Amino acid sequence: MDSLIIEGPSKLSGKVEVSGSKNSALPLLFASILFNEKVTYENIPRLWDVETTLKLLEMMGCGTEWDKEGGRVSIIPRVTSQIAPYEQVKKMRAGILALGPLVAKYGDAKVSLPGGCAIGARPVNYHIDALRKMGVTVEVEEGYIHASIKGKLIGTEILFPEVTVTGTENLLYVGAIAEGTTVLQNAACEPEVVALGEFLVSCGAKITGLGTQTVTIQGTPLVAPTKPIRVPPDRIEAGTWVSIALATRSQLEISGCDAAQMTSVLAAFRQMGAKIEEVNQGTTLKVIPVEKYSPLHIETAPYPGFPTDMQAQILTLLCLAEGRSTVVESIFENRFMHVAELQRLGAKIEVNGNVATVEGPVKFQGAPIMATDLRASACLVLAGLISKGTTKVSRIYHLDRGYQRLDEKLCRLGAKITRVAE
Ligand code: EPZ
């Protein structure tokens, strides 16, 4: 397992390019299962989760080609096995996204229950209930979801009890092919869901309401894409870079963004006093250093609210604000694992249920700390950059799951980070 040794405090400067979105790339890659012909992708980020997704597709019989440097992937979707095994799905909960396409295309799927992770139990009951409403027989046995349908998938109205990103995505795959009309109520509005929906529309799907809480899908046969699908930018990586620039008080230029997808994140930072310029139609963000940050009350929420995947990053930044802040984690039941690690660096944070109270400003002192989940690992690297002395962040594989060589990008901006294998 790798660790990062970070010498702080670090001043950064220069330009950084945001990679393709992990949470967009994964559902788009699984969508290849819906076709018989080769599907090609561009701007695929170089991440462990992409590696795991391609392995899952290969285990189903698909051919895959991955030009890691060029960010191009091709899938030859000759599915011979409709099984998504535990050994891969346990590494990446997004493996549940094999369920919808396999049921839609083959009427049969055996997908491992994802299992929980550091941030929560990650149940998939909403996915299962929705498929059952579509006429799919779903049994959960020995840790696997067995889904099958004898006749045709029939469109119907689905109300999600809670906004679910991958649940909405799974039902987009199925609704696009089912007979009749499928209406998703309380659908997720995340840009990654919209990107998947728009891709399906480009293949002939009849979908309206994408990006709103009511999505209507008229089932129809799909036509395989003839040109490469370009993965949109990663709004969470972009937000992470802004938080790094703000925390280290560095002048950074962050390109490959889409500011229109970051309104709540940028608003929160600006409310703290940050100076962030949007240039080139919001595809580049320029962060101008400021000395003082104001405290904030922030609650995570489904899009377009403040994203839970940015909670750890803003929590770390609020340790530098002048006064008391509160951060409410409304999406996952256990997404404050990074607090104990930040406290080891000197953070003054108290967690009570799903509310973290932060006193600032504090000066961090370097110490050994441990990454617990993907976005937490980014906040710990951020914390190491602003700590005085040496910070060693272990279990950095969490970081590599969702960020394309963040340490290398940081070193190019002037950070002093070495990666050590242990
Ligand atoms: C997606 O996870 C993202 N992953 C997560 O990003 C992100 O944090 C999350 O959405 C929320 O935005 C991918 O897109 C691959 P949910 P997902 O279903 O779809 C509960 C990252 O860092 N729920 O929207 O699994 C669930 O427990 C990852 O890249 C049920 O109870 O999340 C949670 O409390 C982490 N039953 C809430 O709903 C279900 O069947 C939202 O979960 C489904 C969800």
Side-chain angles (χ1 to χ4, degrees):
M1 282 198 233
D2 286 1
S3 296
L4 293 182
I5 312 284
I6 305 170
E7 295 305 329
S10 272
K11 256 274 181 279
L12 310 175
S13 69
K15 299 180 181 177
V16 65
E17 168 101 29
V18 171
S19 304
S21 161
K22 167 181 90 75
N23 289 349
S24 215
L26 303 183
L28 287 169
L29 288 167
F30 280 109
S32 62
I33 293 170
L34 297 170
F35 305 102
N36 301 318
E37 300 81 2
K38 182 172 174 176
V39 185
T40 305
Y41 302 84
E42 289 175 343
N43 200 31
I44 292 274
R46 188 172 171 177
L47 305 171
W48 280 118
D49 276 11
V50 172
E51 187 102 31
T52 303
T53 300
L54 295 182
K55 269 215 185 77
L56 258 174
L57 291 167
E58 286 161 10
M59 294 172 94
M60 292 175 203
C62 299
T64 67
E65 294 152 22
W66 187 7
D67 163 8
K68 290 186 177 179
E69 285 313 312
R72 284 177 76 92
V73 164
S74 291
I75 309 283
I76 300 98
R78 49 168 183 266
V79 172
T80 52
S81 154
Q82 288 93 41
I83 298 174
Y86 177 64
E87 62 173 296
Q88 294 303 331
V89 177
K90 72 180 177 187
K91 292 182 211 165
M92 178 191 75
R93 262 144 302 282
I96 193 65
L97 289 170
L99 182 62
L102 287 172
V103 169
K105 175 82 174 163
Y106 298 98
D108 182 65
K110 185 180 171 192
V111 175
S112 167
L113 279 171
C117 68
I119 64 177
R122 310 298 293 272
V124 289
N125 52 320
Y126 302 155
H127 302 237
I128 291 169
D129 295 346
L131 289 176
R132 283 177 172 151
K133 279 206 75 175
M134 302 277 292
V136 182
T137 303
V138 184
E139 303 296 335
V140 179
E141 283 159 3
E142 294 163 8
Y144 277 79
I145 302 165
H146 302 253
S148 62
I149 181 141
K150 293 280 173 290
K152 283 189 176 305
L153 281 163
I154 306 295
T156 185
E157 180 151 7
I158 308 273
L159 168 66
F160 287 113
E162 201 177 341
V163 171
T164 163
V165 172
T166 48
T168 303
E169 290 165 343
N170 260 332
L171 270 291
L172 280 178
Y173 299 124
V174 176
I177 288 195
E179 204 156 271
T181 304
T182 301
V183 180
L184 305 182
Q185 298 289 5
N186 201 22
C189 305
E190 271 68 4
E192 296 76 31
V193 176
V194 174
L196 174 66
E198 286 174 348
F199 163 65
L200 294 172
V201 167
S202 73
C203 298
K206 295 182 174 46
I207 306 175
T208 54
L210 285 169
T212 75
Q213 290 174 332
T214 301
V215 174
T216 304
I217 314 156
Q218 187 64 41
T220 181
L222 297 180
V223 177
T226 49
K227 53 188 196 307
I229 304 123
R230 185 163 180 78
V231 173
D234 192 320
R235 61 190 170 97
I236 303 301
E237 185 194 351
T240 303
W241 278 112
V242 176
S243 64
I244 288 170
L246 296 174
T248 58
R249 292 181 167 93
S250 306
Q251 176 137 342
L252 286 189
E253 208 170 291
I254 304 154
S255 60
C257 304
D258 181 350
Q261 296 183 354
M262 302 172 66
T263 47
S264 54
V265 171
L266 296 175
F269 287 146
R270 285 169 174 145
Q271 206 171 315
M272 289 179 66
K275 282 200 180 1
I276 307 165
E277 285 174 18
E278 299 173 26
V279 295
N280 304 336
Q281 290 83 39
T283 58
T284 298
L285 298 174
K286 275 187 179 173
V287 180
I288 321 290
V290 294
E291 269 320 299
K292 286 190 181 303
Y293 294 123
S294 312
L296 199 60
H297 170 83
I298 192 92
E299 300 191 16
T300 63
Y303 192 89
F306 190 88
T308 174
D309 293 349
M310 279 296 302
Q311 178 259 100
Q313 296 90 315
I314 198 163
L315 184 74
T316 308
L317 187 60
L318 286 167
C319 294
L320 307 181
E322 318 256 326
R324 171 173 298 179
S325 301
T326 46
V327 177
V328 182
E329 172 52 63
S330 316
I331 307 289
F332 289 109
E333 69 269 28
N334 188 34
R335 201 169 198 174
F336 283 128
M337 305 279 279
H338 40 285
V339 168
E341 304 305 310
L342 293 171
Q343 286 167 338
R344 289 175 50 75
L345 303 177
K348 291 199 181 63
I349 306 172
E350 261 182 50
V351 174
N352 197 338
N354 70 335
V355 181
T357 304
V358 190
E359 296 295 345
V362 292
K363 288 202 180 314
F364 284 171
Q365 297 294 325
I369 50 181
M370 185 177 78
T372 52
D373 67 86
L374 164 54
R375 303 303 170 180
S377 51
C379 97
L380 297 182
V381 173
L382 192 170
L385 291 170
I386 56 176
S387 296
K388 193 168 174 343
T390 304
T391 299
K392 178 176 177 181
V393 186
S394 58
R395 300 194 179 183
I396 213 63
Y397 63 86
H398 288 292
L399 188 75
D400 297 336
R401 278 194 49 209
Y403 290 93
Q404 182 169 308
R405 302 306 272 185
L406 189 71
D407 46 326
E408 288 174 10
K409 290 184 179 179
L410 281 165
C411 288
R412 283 200 291 273
L413 297 169
K416 297 178 213 50
I417 303 177
T418 41
R419 179 181 281 256
V420 292
E422 288 179 320

